[in-house]
Amino acid sequence: MEEKQIKKLIEMALEVREKAYVPYSHFRVGAALLCGDGSIYTGCNVENASYPASNCAERTAVFKAVSEGKREFTAIAVMGGMEGMKKLEDCTPCGICRQVLAEFADESMLVFTGTSPENYRQYTLAELLPHSFTGKNLQ
Ligand code: THU
């Protein structure tokens, strides 16, 4: 992937992170999902007083994209960190989000984490979720 596009995804993830609704954890996460057709969907985490009803940023982005007819995903940038912290920490997707990404993306999908467009790490989904259980197992 081109450096310019990676930086753009990270910037969009940082921007949507500001919209996170996190009155309980105060941990803000933003995600920007690049689809096969070049479109980008963003998402933030949305928490709930009934904690398990909360939704992660990555799944918000995936569900927005799928509900707009997109099913092919190339990459996702995830930026997370505690509210008010000067510097973010590396925030890799949780297990549930890795599983949701695996439903729609192949193993070569790229996942970018890090702290800024200048300081990021790149993983494949296969690295983050090896030996995944997918729809193929149910055929
Ligand atoms: N969270 C995300 O949105 N994405 C992740 O990859 C890790 C965790 C959210 C869930 C919850 O709202 C808060 O961060 C603390 O777990």
Side-chain angles (χ1 to χ4, degrees), residues 21-22 24-31 43-48 51 54-60 78-80 82 91-95 97:
Y21 176 72
V22 289
Y24 307 106
S25 75
H26 302 284
F27 190 83
R28 291 184 174 272
V29 188
C44 61
N45 50 338
V46 182
E47 297 186 344
N48 192 279
Y51 296 176
S54 303
N55 204 51
C56 289
E58 297 91 320
R59 275 177 289 145
T60 303
V78 184
M79 294 287 127
M82 288 304 289
C91 172
T92 48
C94 79
C97 289

Side-chain angles (χ1 to χ4, degrees), residues 64-86:
K64 278 172 70 178
V66 173
S67 63
E68 295 293 328
K70 310 297 161 74
R71 292 189 180 174
E72 211 183 296
F73 304 140
T74 312
I76 189 167
V78 184
M79 294 287 127
M82 288 304 289
E83 220 162 45
M85 291 253 295
K86 280 201 190 112

Side-chain angles (χ1 to χ4, degrees), residues 79-131:
M79 294 287 127
M82 288 304 289
E83 220 162 45
M85 291 253 295
K86 280 201 190 112
K87 197 168 172 282
L88 298 188
E89 281 162 29
D90 210 25
C91 172
T92 48
C94 79
I96 297 172
C97 289
R98 293 176 198 203
Q99 181 67 29
V100 167
L101 290 168
E103 179 71 21
F104 298 103
D106 68 26
E107 297 194 328
S108 64
M109 182 189 188
L110 297 177
V111 180
F112 298 98
T113 67
T115 62
S116 73
E118 286 72 44
N119 177 27
Y120 65 84
R121 266 155 291 286
Q122 173 177 325
Y123 305 92
T124 62
L125 188 57
E127 285 173 314
L128 297 180
L129 190 67
H131 314 292

